[in-house]
């Protein structure tokens, strides 16, 4: 169940990332997809592979988000990648870091993502063929949407209204440091025995499964070619995707309308239920409490009238009560005598 949920998450988020236009939105859904990869590995028992991918992903995804921040800074907070283009000339260091990150997350050797993703794919292949197919398709989509992001933002013609510039050293130095970790962490993890170092279960892959690695690498290169064919060969226009892919594009671009469905449920069900519960709380529970309080106040007013401190009234009330009790006792005494007298006569 955990492996299936992870595989679905990885594939579902990757499909959504293919159509997103905001720079950080693509990376955010990519992160969700990669987390699905990690949970899929956990589900098939490949704990060390999951931890390995968690480490390598941390390096290249952090670098990619820093690249996004650098681009937004250079373009006055512009986030729409369809309004970018040609940044490789103006931002060469950011472009270099971006290329390294894209190649790493796509699983191109010898970058870190190649080694960690290979361990997951190999473990999943030996556990479940359907899950392996889903993971492989996700791998292809990952390479495709990251290549799309790179092409639209950094290659082609400039579609921005602002003049871009490279960021200063305070921004590109962290990117370069993460780029070095992206390049070296996979090699270190593979040859340095990452699974023994973290003690996260028994390692599933002592050596690279070249069937799996070769297939995923070939699919990544094919995805790069497809992205270039669609977005790189011709002058890109924002309406091109909508016209080419039609209804399917609109559904995926709107994230399968999950946000709208959630808003509808929240408005109609959650808020409606809250109104009903508020009425119950105010009219029934609060009303009951207020009624009991009013009853206590009314009773106290009545008792206050009788307890006014006049000794004469207390004596009258006392002897009236005594008289009532005596009359009651006399009544029962007469009844008892009549009962016994009648029995004695018979």
């Amino acid at each position: 169940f955990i492996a299936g949920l992870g595989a679905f998450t990885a594939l579902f988020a990757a499909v959504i990332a293919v159509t997103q236009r905001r720079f950080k939105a693509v990376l955010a859904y990519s992160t969700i997809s990669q987390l699905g990869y990690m949970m899929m590995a956990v589900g098939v028992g490949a704990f060390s592979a999951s931890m390995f991918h968690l480490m390598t992903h941390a390096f290249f995804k952090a670098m990619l988000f820093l690249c996004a921040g650098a681009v937004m800074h250079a373009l006055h907070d512009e986030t729409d990648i369809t309004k970018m283009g040609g940044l490789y000339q103006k931002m060469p260091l950011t472009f270099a870091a971006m290329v390294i990150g894209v190649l790493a997350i796509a699983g191109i050797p010898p970058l870190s993502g190649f080694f960690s993703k290979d361990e997951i794919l190999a473990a999943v292949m030996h556990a479940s063929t359907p899950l392996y197919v889903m993971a492989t398709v996700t791998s292809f989509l990952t390479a495709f949407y990251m290549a799309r992001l790179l092409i639209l933002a950094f290659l082609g013609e400039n579609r921005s209204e602002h003049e871009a510039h490279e960021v200063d050293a305070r921004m590109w130095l962290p990117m370069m440091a993460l780029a070095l970790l992206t390049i070296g962490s996979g090699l270190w993890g593979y040859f340095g025995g990452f699974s023994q170092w973290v003690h996260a279960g028994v390692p599933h892959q002592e050596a690279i499964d070249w069937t799996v690695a070769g297939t995923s690498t070939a699919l990544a290169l094919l995805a790069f070619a497809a992205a270039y064919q669609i977005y790189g060969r011709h002058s890109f226009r924002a309406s091109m995707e909508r016209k080419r892919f039609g209804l399917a594009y609109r559904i995926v671009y709107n994230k399968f309308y999950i946000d709208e469905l959630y808003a509808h449920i929240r408005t109609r069900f959650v808020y409606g239920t809250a109104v009903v519960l508020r009425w119950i709380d105010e009219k029934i529970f609060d009303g009951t409490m207020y009624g009991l309080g009013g009853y206590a106040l009314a009773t106290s007013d009545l008792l206050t009238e009788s307890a006014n401190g006049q000794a004469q009234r207390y004596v009258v009330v006392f002897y009236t009560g005594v008289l009532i009790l005596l009359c009651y006792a006399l009544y029962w005494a007469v009844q008892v005598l009549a009962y016994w007298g009648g029995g004695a006569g018979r």
Side-chain angles (χ1 to χ4, degrees):
F1 175 78
I2 293 174
L5 188 62
F8 172 78
T9 301
L11 182 58
F12 187 74
V15 170
I16 294 176
V18 168
T19 61
Q20 298 306 299
R21 294 183 180 180
R22 290 181 294 119
F23 202 123
K24 290 196 293 183
V26 177
L27 299 180
Y29 280 102
S30 172
T31 300
I32 296 173
S33 179
Q34 297 303 305
L35 291 174
Y37 249 106
M38 299 171 203
M39 293 309 299
M40 179 172 56
V42 169
V44 299
F47 306 113
S48 60
S50 179
M51 290 294 293
F52 188 18
H53 195 57
L54 176 65
M55 180 193 71
T56 60
H57 177 263
F59 293 140
F60 58 70
K61 187 53 67 68
M63 180 182 63
L64 289 170
F65 269 109
L66 289 181
C67 290
V71 171
M72 292 171 59
H73 174 74
L75 296 179
H76 301 274
D77 294 329
E78 179 62 68
T79 61
D80 192 341
I81 59 176
T82 64
K83 298 180 181 179
M84 299 178 185
L87 295 179
Y88 75 97
Q89 296 177 331
K90 304 296 181 65
M91 307 179 69
L93 294 177
T94 303
F95 174 66
M98 190 73 187
V99 170
I100 293 173
V102 169
L103 294 177
I105 195 172
I108 302 299
L111 300 177
S112 58
F114 167 76
F115 294 99
S116 59
K117 185 178 289 187
D118 169 70
E119 287 197 14
I120 293 177
L121 289 174
V124 172
M125 184 186 69
H126 291 96
S128 169
T129 300
L131 291 181
Y132 175 70
V133 172
M134 295 176 67
T136 304
V137 173
T138 301
S139 179
F140 174 85
L141 291 176
T142 301
F144 179 83
Y145 66 67
M146 290 306 298
R148 170 181 177 267
L149 175 63
L150 181 69
I151 292 170
L152 291 181
F154 288 89
L155 303 181
E157 61 182 4
N158 181 19
R159 298 178 296 276
S160 175
E161 300 176 355
H162 307 285
E163 186 65 24
H165 58 85
E166 184 61 271
V167 294
D168 58 31
R170 290 175 297 177
M171 298 183 73
W172 63 256
L173 278 176
M175 288 191 291
M176 294 301 104
L178 289 169
L180 293 177
L181 290 171
T182 299
I183 295 172
S185 60
L187 293 169
W188 169 80
Y190 179 72
F191 292 106
F194 177 84
S195 59
Q196 284 82 11
W197 182 67
V198 298
H199 302 290
V202 179
H204 281 258
Q205 282 301 113
E206 296 293 346
I208 296 176
D209 189 326
W210 287 108
T211 301
V212 174
T215 301
S216 62
T217 302
L219 287 175
L221 296 176
L222 181 62
F224 288 163
Y228 177 76
Q229 178 69 25
I230 296 173
Y231 299 101
R233 291 191 60 185
H234 309 287
S235 179
F236 178 80
R237 294 293 179 268
S239 61
M240 183 185 72
E241 291 178 314
R242 292 195 302 269
K243 293 180 180 179
R244 177 173 295 184
F245 302 106
L247 178 62
Y249 173 83
R250 289 197 300 272
I251 293 175
V252 177
Y253 177 75
N254 288 285
K255 302 177 284 291
F256 296 92
Y257 295 96
I258 291 177
D259 293 342
E260 289 76 8
L261 178 62
Y262 175 79
H264 179 78
I265 293 175
R266 181 188 61 193
T267 303
R268 297 300 178 88
F269 177 74
V270 178
Y271 289 173
T273 304
V275 170
V276 174
L277 293 178
R278 181 178 179 180
W279 183 89
I280 294 174
D281 182 61
E282 292 180 350
K283 302 300 182 181
I284 298 179
F285 293 106
D286 288 351
T288 301
M289 294 299 104
Y290 292 149
L292 291 174
Y295 169 78
L297 290 174
T299 306
S300 67
D301 290 339
L302 292 174
L303 295 176
T304 301
E305 288 294 328
S306 62
N308 56 6
Q310 295 182 0
Q312 298 91 332
R313 179 176 294 184
Y314 295 164
V315 171
V316 171
V317 172
F318 173 76
Y319 281 112
T320 300
V322 171
L323 182 59
I324 292 173
L325 292 175
L326 288 175
C327 291
Y328 186 72
L330 181 61
Y331 169 78
W332 276 105
V334 171
Q335 293 293 325
V336 170
L337 290 174
Y339 173 80
W340 286 107
R346 289 194 298 270

